[in-house]
Amino acid sequence: MSKIATWADNLSIFDDVMDQYAYLVDLAKQPTTLPESLRSDDRLVEGCISQIWVDVGKVDNKTKIYYDSDAMITKGVTHVVCDCFDDLPLDEAKNVKKSDFEILGLDMILSSNRRNGLASLIDVITRKVAHL
């Protein structure tokens, strides 16, 4: 869980919600890992107010997470969540639970619709990782 703890530390630096949003928007400006040509319905995360596309694979027994989103804050949140799974040994990634993400504190700054999307995103990734 060290990646999740690292992100929790990064997010806790900001006392102000607006600063946290600005940080998430800055993260969203980084290149995503899912090419636009692969933004398909089978990769779309349901239950999100914005569109998020996620795909999961493995390379050398480590997870590879590919993602994109059409909204800046959502893309920033997706960046954080996907990075928490990316490059983990497969066995470790399969043991990540939704409750592990509570330390990020994202539930406290996101609207209820975005919280639902966050939960759906984590569910989709954990389900896809379980099938690797």
Side-chain angles (χ1 to χ4, degrees), residues 39 95 124 128:
R39 290 185 189 179
N95 288 317
V124 166
K128 288 185 176 203

Side-chain angles (χ1 to χ4, degrees), residues 55-67:
D55 204 3
V56 174
K58 68 176 178 173
V59 176
D60 297 329
N61 208 37
K62 289 187 177 186
T63 56
K64 293 310 253 177
I65 311 298
Y66 310 96
Y67 73 94

Side-chain angles (χ1 to χ4, degrees), residues 29-45:
K29 292 176 184 175
Q30 296 181 16
T32 57
T33 55
L34 186 72
E36 191 170 336
S37 62
L38 296 179
R39 290 185 189 179
S40 56
D41 288 345
D42 62 322
R43 292 180 181 92
L44 198 58
V45 176

Side-chain angles (χ1 to χ4, degrees), residues 3-128:
K3 286 181 110 177
I4 296 173
T6 298
W7 278 111
D9 287 345
N10 291 347
L11 290 165
S12 71
I13 292 170
F14 308 101
D15 294 330
D16 185 71
V17 171
M18 295 311 290
D19 290 339
Q20 289 175 324
Y21 282 146
Y23 179 61
L24 292 171
V25 168
D26 284 344
L27 291 173
K29 292 176 184 175
Q30 296 181 16
T32 57
T33 55
L34 186 72
E36 191 170 336
S37 62
L38 296 179
R39 290 185 189 179
S40 56
D41 288 345
D42 62 322
R43 292 180 181 92
L44 198 58
V45 176
E46 293 184 25
C48 296
I49 197 165
S50 303
Q51 293 184 310
I52 301 173
W53 298 269
V54 173
D55 204 3
V56 174
K58 68 176 178 173
V59 176
D60 297 329
N61 208 37
K62 289 187 177 186
T63 56
K64 293 310 253 177
I65 311 298
Y66 310 96
Y67 73 94
D68 203 351
S69 177
D70 66 349
M72 294 303 277
I73 291 174
T74 303
K75 190 182 288 189
V77 170
T78 302
H79 175 94
V80 171
V81 171
C82 289
D83 185 66
C84 289
F85 284 95
D86 196 44
D87 281 331
L88 287 182
L90 194 53
D91 290 343
E92 187 177 333
K94 287 183 177 186
N95 288 317
V96 174
K97 297 171 189 61
K98 191 185 310 184
S99 60
D100 295 333
F101 289 88
E102 291 173 5
I103 65 168
L104 295 177
L106 292 171
D107 282 355
M108 296 172 16
I109 68 167
L110 298 176
S111 67
S112 61
N113 286 337
R114 285 204 169 107
R115 282 193 302 269
N116 290 339
L118 173 63
S120 294
L121 173 63
I122 296 168
D123 286 343
V124 166
I125 295 172
T126 55
R127 194 168 46 249
K128 288 185 176 203

